[in-house]
Amino acid sequence: MASEHSVLKQLHPLVRPYVERVLRRGNVGVCMGNLRISDVKSGRPTLTQSKEPCGDRFKIYIPFAGDSLKWEVIFDSCQPSNPPDFIFLGENGNFDPDIEKLENLTQWDPENPESLVLVLEDLLREYRCYQRQLIEGYSRLQFEYSSLQGMEACDDVEVHMGNRLPGTLDSPVNFLIRLPIDLSPIPQYLVKDDPGEDLAVLLAKFHNSEGSRVTPQLFLSPKVEHALGDNTALRIPRFPTGGCLMDYVPQVQDFLQKQIDHIVEGYQRRREYVAAFISRFGGSVLEYDAESFTKLSLVLEWNEFFFVLHIELPSRFPQDMPVFTFQSCYHLSKTNGEPYISVQKSYPYSPRWTGEEMAQRAKLFILDFIPQFKKVSVSSNKL
Amino acid sequence: MAAVRLGGSVFSALSFQQVCSHSDQVGLLFGEVSVRVKDSISDSQINSKTTEKTICVLSHLPCHLPLSSSLTTESINKAITEVACDREKHIVGWYRFRRNSSPEPSLWERIIHRKLSETLKSQENMLFWLFTYQSSGTVSTHVTDYTLYQQKDRRLQAIPHAVVNLGDTSHDHYRMSSAGALSTDLGMLGVFKKYRDRLVDGEGQLCEVSIMNQMNSALQAQLMGLCDSVHQGEKEASVLEEEVAQLQSVLREAMEQKEQQEPSVLIPEKVDISKIEQHQTGDVAGDVRDIAMETDEDNSPFAVQLRQIAEQTKGVTTEGKKTPKMDRKEVKKESEPRTRRKSRKSSSSETEKGEEGDLFSNLVSEMRSKVQTPGNQRQHSRQRGSRQIQEEEPMESSMSENIDSGTDVETEDSQKSSQSTIKNEDVQVVSSDDETDMEQEPSSSPVF
């Protein structure tokens, strides 16, 4: 954000609105990545640049199919009504879109701040067509792309042919596939910045046009990544030798779905468990984790003996049983001077019980255990 | 692909204009396209024609080309007409200048180039000259890049070009064709046309060059003439040499015959006086002694004279270049100019020998007169007229000298005098005087 602010500060006032909209709404492409702007320069003589911000040309980095496109956008601050000019760096002049298909460019509206965003969308659309034309010369790649287009398991595909490998006539090709998975049940992940839209994309990197070596990578949005763990923990299946994306993508999708289902189920069960305890011990609830439902603390009383009960639910709940921690309100431990606690990890439990059942059984266990806890707390500890 | 030449003045004017501009610039390039067919003949191929196309950029003009949706053929035509009214056929391309951007053609530039080529109907030759500018962060270094592009395979590709720099002295050969940097201003072209007739003839060649060629040809002809005359002179000289040799052999034979017939004749053996003087005089002396010895018994006055002659010749051979015994004062005249004296000094050795030789020659001539032979008569006549003969035919005088050994010294002297005659008239006069004196005073000769 600080870099975006500095970029906007260097721009000419007449050019600034367009760029501001690009930074705000410029999420384009399959991965919906943010566009990045840098290298703000001016077309005016050097001496006049220092007096006022007059930047009217800059470089824009667009994420596309695992790579980053580098385009140069040129305005003319002396003639701001003119549409911008574009230089497609790294394309060697091969990307030459038809001007007739760029309506937002030919009918440039200088009054509309969204104009630049619309022009970029048009250009990216033409760029995707251009990349598709590039792989038409390779039968294997063409087959992969056409097969993905017809799949339901494939929501959107971007293909990008990189620069030619040194010493060969081959070029690496990236396939970026957006997996159509419902990620809404995943628990909320509250962060300071906007985590963005939830999505999962699969990047298949073909090291050559024959597809003899393919490297898959799964990219997740921040919420999904937090829920499932980072990419290293999530081991996706290996790409089979001689296989094709048409078969591999559904495998990855099923695997991911299972993981998500597991995560969602655990979340649901935790929530149910905590809800059951709250309903049973409503007035005794001290605090609980309302986001992921992993902790619960209760203040209970038995024969005028008050104690605190902390319940921790593991990540693999309900397979793993919750941990009960009894804490005394009166006595301190002789060893560390803190309130005396007693951790209980084994008690009657079954993962097949419902939350209500678990709460009931937990209550019985507490009633059985608390006299012993009181005795130990009083005799061996100090006030 | 056509070769592109950019005028140095165009380049500098464009650069200056762009440095001073406030924003990006667009304009048109004017010039000419010339095609030259080169036909080269080699050992392997008699005809090898190559076509060379050259595009010369000679001037430029800023122009406002619309970079918007209104970029149509009509709008481009209108923009061109506003700027270049009747110079559309001289348009060879267009240029764009933009600061702080990459030196690659942009999207609009490609579109404009295509539209411009379609409008002007010159797809292949249309040029696009791109200028970019960058400066360092401290504004201490400013870099201007320029690249020339041309449409090829539906893409703008960079092409090689040459900026005509008149101050470039690296060329070590003459230009066979125009450098393509001429001005297209009508006034300048009119001046060139006006003076062209004076410098160039009807065939397109420089006048001075043809004049020099003619002079060279004339000099060559003159040289050939001189060679012919030298050759002719050498031929004549060789003919004359052969003739002289023949005559010498004839005389030699005649002398031999005469000796065989009349051995008592006191004629010393002839010696080739032209070669060795002393040898001649020595031989003569020897002969005379022999003759004197033969006639010694008689003690005739003739024999006495012979003995004296022999002694004299012996003295001549031994003394070499001593001063003559003859009293020079008798011969010397008061009115002789210094030059004569100088010439006399220079030829003193010659005159000394000549004086002694004169005595002997006189004696011999007297003796010969007693024995009159045709050859001797001829010899005498030759001696008398030695002056004339010497002037005209110095070879004949030497020949006569070879024939008569008795007069070898005299002939030698006459030869030398003849040489001096040729060189200096005064010497000739002196020698002639000497001869005259000698002839005039035969009786006063101290020897006899």
Side-chain angles (χ1 to χ4, degrees):
Chain A
M1 295 302 287
S3 62
E4 289 180 2
H5 180 70
S6 65
V7 160
L8 291 172
K9 201 176 172 183
Q10 297 174 42
L11 289 168
H12 190 271
L14 293 175
V15 178
R16 198 176 297 153
Y18 305 119
V19 179
E20 199 171 359
R21 284 306 174 98
V22 167
L23 293 173
R24 297 281 182 269
R25 288 192 54 239
N27 297 334
V28 294
V30 166
C31 59
M32 304 296 283
N34 288 336
L35 302 176
R36 189 167 65 89
I37 291 176
S38 67
D39 292 336
V40 178
K41 300 277 179 66
S42 172
R44 297 203 181 181
T46 312
L47 292 177
T48 59
Q49 289 181 27
S50 59
K51 293 178 183 177
E52 56 184 5
C54 51
D56 55 4
R57 49 207 64 190
F58 48 87
K59 287 191 176 67
I60 187 166
Y61 296 86
I62 304 170
F64 186 84
D67 292 331
S68 187
L69 305 179
K70 187 177 170 185
W71 293 352
E72 198 167 325
V73 184
I74 300 171
F75 280 94
D76 190 354
S77 56
C78 296
Q79 295 179 356
S81 60
N82 280 356
D85 202 355
F86 292 88
I87 300 177
F88 308 108
L89 301 172
E91 301 295 332
N92 295 328
N94 292 324
F95 177 49
D96 189 13
D98 187 5
I99 191 67
E100 303 297 331
K101 296 181 181 176
L102 304 174
E103 293 179 354
N104 290 305
L105 185 63
T106 54
Q107 299 169 12
W108 174 263
D109 183 6
E111 304 297 330
N112 183 10
E114 302 275 337
S115 300
L116 185 58
V117 175
L118 297 172
V119 170
L120 286 173
E121 288 175 357
D122 289 347
L123 285 171
L124 276 170
R125 185 189 64 234
E126 292 300 314
Y127 189 79
R128 290 174 70 166
C129 296
Y130 160 69
Q131 289 292 331
R132 282 201 294 269
Q133 289 171 7
L134 282 182
I135 65 169
E136 279 176 4
Y138 304 93
S139 58
R140 171 65 191 276
L141 300 173
Q142 176 63 23
F143 163 73
E144 295 282 4
Y145 184 79
S146 57
S147 61
L148 287 172
Q149 285 289 322
M151 279 174 55
E152 293 180 356
C154 176
D155 197 7
D156 194 6
V157 179
E158 272 180 5
V159 62
H160 182 253
M161 182 173 280
N163 292 327
R164 194 166 284 180
L165 295 171
T168 65
L169 296 175
D170 230 339
S171 308
V173 178
N174 290 353
F175 282 88
L176 191 68
I177 305 150
R178 186 174 181 177
L179 301 175
I181 297 177
D182 185 14
L183 301 171
S184 57
I186 292 178
Q188 289 295 324
Y189 175 56
L190 299 176
V191 290
K192 181 181 160 189
D193 299 324
D194 182 13
E197 189 174 335
D198 296 328
L199 62 98
V201 292
L202 175 67
L203 175 67
K205 195 164 194 174
F206 281 65
H207 292 271
N208 50 44
S209 59
E210 297 300 321
S212 56
R213 194 161 71 97
V214 180
T215 305
Q217 271 181 298
L218 186 66
F219 293 97
L220 306 169
S221 60
K223 187 173 83 171
V224 180
E225 191 174 335
H226 177 262
L228 293 176
D230 57 359
N231 213 356
T232 56
L234 192 64
R235 306 283 183 190
I236 57 174
R238 286 185 62 189
F239 191 87
T241 307
C244 61
L245 287 172
M246 191 170 59
D247 300 327
Y248 181 72
V249 170
Q251 289 180 20
V252 174
Q253 187 179 354
D254 293 340
F255 170 79
L256 189 62
Q257 190 66 55
K258 284 178 186 174
Q259 297 291 324
I260 290 170
D261 292 342
H262 177 75
I263 295 294
V264 170
E265 184 187 354
Y267 173 79
Q268 296 291 340
R269 290 295 297 270
R270 288 198 303 274
R271 193 170 69 168
E272 181 188 350
Y273 183 89
V274 171
F277 268 78
I278 291 172
S279 64
R280 184 171 285 274
F281 304 99
S284 302
V285 174
L286 188 61
E287 63 178 3
Y288 70 97
D289 182 3
E291 182 180 335
S292 55
F293 304 100
T294 56
K295 277 189 178 180
L296 176 64
S297 298
L298 301 166
V299 176
L300 300 172
E301 180 266 341
W302 179 77
N303 292 341
E304 297 181 353
F305 178 76
F306 289 87
F307 60 96
V308 178
L309 175 62
H310 300 286
I311 303 173
E312 291 178 12
L313 284 81
S315 59
R316 292 186 59 193
F317 180 83
Q319 282 77 17
D320 296 343
M321 59 195 294
V323 175
F324 288 165
T325 304
F326 292 86
Q327 182 180 339
S328 170
C329 298
Y330 309 99
H331 304 93
L332 300 175
S333 171
K334 290 180 180 177
T335 55
N336 52 12
E338 290 183 0
Y340 171 71
I341 58 172
S342 172
V343 179
Q344 297 298 315
K345 290 183 182 179
S346 63
Y347 53 86
Y349 173 82
S350 171
R352 291 184 293 275
W353 293 341
T354 61
E356 190 64 32
E357 181 78 18
M358 290 182 186
Q360 177 64 28
R361 297 291 182 109
K363 182 179 177 181
L364 294 174
F365 169 74
I366 292 168
L367 287 170
D368 289 337
F369 180 73
I370 203 62
Q372 181 185 355
F373 176 74
K374 179 185 175 183
K375 191 176 180 180
V376 173
S377 174
V378 170
S379 60
S380 59
N381 296 293
K382 61 182 180 181
L383 285 171
Chain B
M1 189 160 35
V4 180
R5 302 183 66 85
L6 310 171
S9 57
V10 177
F11 177 73
S12 58
L14 263 176
S15 300
F16 178 74
Q17 195 174 21
Q18 286 153 9
V19 166
C20 302
S21 68
H22 294 287
S23 64
D24 299 346
Q25 276 202 337
V26 178
L28 296 171
L29 296 172
F30 297 90
E32 61 181 15
V33 180
S34 59
V35 179
R36 202 158 72 102
V37 178
K38 201 173 175 182
D39 189 6
S40 58
I41 299 171
S42 64
D43 293 338
S44 58
Q45 214 168 355
I46 192 155
N47 273 334
S48 172
K49 287 190 179 179
T50 54
T51 306
E52 296 175 354
K53 188 189 285 187
T54 307
I55 304 174
C56 297
V57 178
L58 302 172
S59 66
H60 71 282
L61 210 57
C63 175
H64 177 71
L65 293 173
L67 293 178
S68 62
S69 58
S70 59
L71 182 70
T72 58
T73 309
E74 289 78 21
S75 62
I76 290 177
N77 261 329
K78 185 183 172 186
I80 292 172
T81 309
E82 282 178 1
V83 172
C85 308
D86 53 347
R87 296 170 64 186
E88 288 185 18
K89 57 182 178 180
H90 294 294
I91 295 175
V92 294
W94 66 293
Y95 69 88
R96 186 177 182 198
F97 167 71
R98 42 183 166 83
R99 289 190 178 90
N100 296 316
S101 56
S102 302
E104 290 181 30
S106 67
L107 177 64
W108 277 116
E109 284 158 7
R110 273 181 261 160
I111 295 167
I112 290 174
H113 188 87
R114 221 172 287 140
K115 292 274 185 183
L116 204 61
S117 301
E118 290 169 5
T119 305
L120 298 173
K121 297 188 177 76
S122 57
Q123 196 83 15
E124 296 177 352
N125 299 330
M126 185 61 60
L127 300 174
F128 170 49
W129 199 354
L130 176 63
F131 288 87
T132 56
Y133 164 89
Q134 285 183 358
S135 66
S136 63
T138 56
V139 202
S140 58
T141 306
H142 304 263
V143 178
T144 299
D145 291 321
Y146 61 95
T147 315
L148 209 63
Y149 292 94
Q150 210 170 31
Q151 188 86 14
K152 193 176 180 184
D153 297 335
R154 295 177 53 82
R155 282 176 50 193
L156 280 177
Q157 293 187 2
I159 57 172
H161 54 276
V163 178
V164 177
N165 183 6
L166 296 179
D168 185 10
T169 57
S170 62
H171 294 283
D172 56 356
H173 54 272
Y174 292 106
R175 295 182 189 276
M176 301 303 291
S177 62
S178 169
L182 293 176
S183 169
T184 53
D185 183 34
L186 292 176
M188 301 291 282
L189 287 176
V191 172
F192 281 126
K193 194 176 178 183
K194 182 182 169 185
Y195 283 91
R196 183 184 170 82
D197 296 334
R198 298 188 197 179
L199 298 171
V200 178
D201 60 9
E203 296 176 0
Q205 303 291 329
L206 286 172
C207 297
E208 283 77 6
V209 172
S210 64
I211 291 170
M212 291 303 293
N213 284 335
Q214 289 170 11
M215 189 177 79
N216 184 43
S217 307
L219 284 172
Q220 290 285 339
Q222 191 71 18
L223 196 62
M224 294 306 294
L226 281 174
C227 289
D228 291 338
S229 62
V230 166
H231 178 61
Q232 196 65 31
E234 290 292 327
K235 277 174 69 176
E236 289 177 1
S238 64
V239 167
L240 289 172
E241 281 183 2
E242 287 176 4
E243 198 173 334
V244 165
Q246 282 178 2
L247 291 173
Q248 282 180 353
S249 64
V250 166
L251 283 173
R252 206 178 295 118
E253 288 174 3
M255 291 301 295
E256 285 175 358
Q257 285 176 3
K258 211 168 276 179
E259 284 178 3
Q260 287 174 1
Q261 289 173 4
E262 297 175 359
S264 61
V265 175
L266 298 178
I267 298 173
E269 291 181 1
K270 62 172 170 55
V271 177
D272 189 3
I273 190 116
S274 64
K275 290 185 180 177
I276 303 171
E277 178 185 344
Q278 291 184 4
H279 178 67
Q280 289 172 0
T281 53
D283 289 342
V284 168
D287 293 337
V288 171
R289 277 199 302 274
D290 291 339
I291 296 169
M293 290 294 292
E294 290 176 0
T295 56
D296 191 20
E297 296 176 355
D298 296 336
N299 278 332
S300 62
F302 185 71
V304 171
Q305 289 180 359
L306 285 175
R307 279 197 215 97
Q308 288 173 353
I309 290 167
E311 288 175 3
Q312 286 176 0
T313 53
K314 186 178 178 183
V316 168
T317 54
T318 52
E319 288 180 0
K321 296 183 181 178
K322 283 186 179 177
T323 55
K325 292 177 183 178
M326 192 173 65
D327 189 4
R328 278 203 173 182
K329 291 182 181 177
E330 294 176 359
V331 180
K332 183 177 176 183
K333 287 184 179 179
E334 293 180 0
S335 62
E336 285 179 353
R338 282 194 178 185
T339 54
R340 289 186 185 176
R341 291 177 191 171
K342 282 185 183 177
S343 61
R344 187 184 288 181
K345 285 181 184 176
S346 63
S347 61
S348 60
S349 61
E350 297 174 355
T351 50
E352 286 170 2
K353 287 187 183 174
E355 287 170 356
E356 287 189 358
D358 288 340
L359 294 173
F360 184 76
S361 63
N362 288 334
L363 178 63
V364 171
S365 63
E366 285 179 1
M367 295 169 64
R368 195 177 290 166
S369 63
K370 295 177 183 178
V371 183
Q372 289 289 326
T373 57
N376 289 340
Q377 285 179 354
R378 186 182 167 192
Q379 181 67 27
H380 281 294
S381 66
R382 280 188 179 272
Q383 287 175 5
R384 290 287 184 271
S386 63
R387 183 177 175 180
Q388 293 178 357
I389 294 171
Q390 286 158 12
E391 287 179 359
E392 294 174 359
E393 297 183 50
M395 295 301 291
E396 289 184 354
S397 62
S398 61
M399 180 176 68
S400 63
E401 290 164 2
N402 290 331
I403 293 171
D404 189 357
S405 61
T407 59
D408 284 346
V409 177
E410 182 182 5
T411 55
E412 178 187 352
D413 177 54
S414 64
Q415 184 184 7
K416 288 181 183 175
S417 66
S418 72
Q419 290 176 359
S420 61
T421 299
I422 294 169
K423 292 178 186 176
N424 197 336
E425 289 181 359
D426 296 335
V427 174
Q428 179 186 0
V429 172
V430 168
S431 62
S432 65
D433 288 341
D434 288 341
E435 289 179 358
T436 307
D437 290 338
M438 300 310 295
E439 290 175 3
Q440 286 176 358
E441 302 175 344
S443 61
S444 63
S445 163
V447 177
F448 307 101

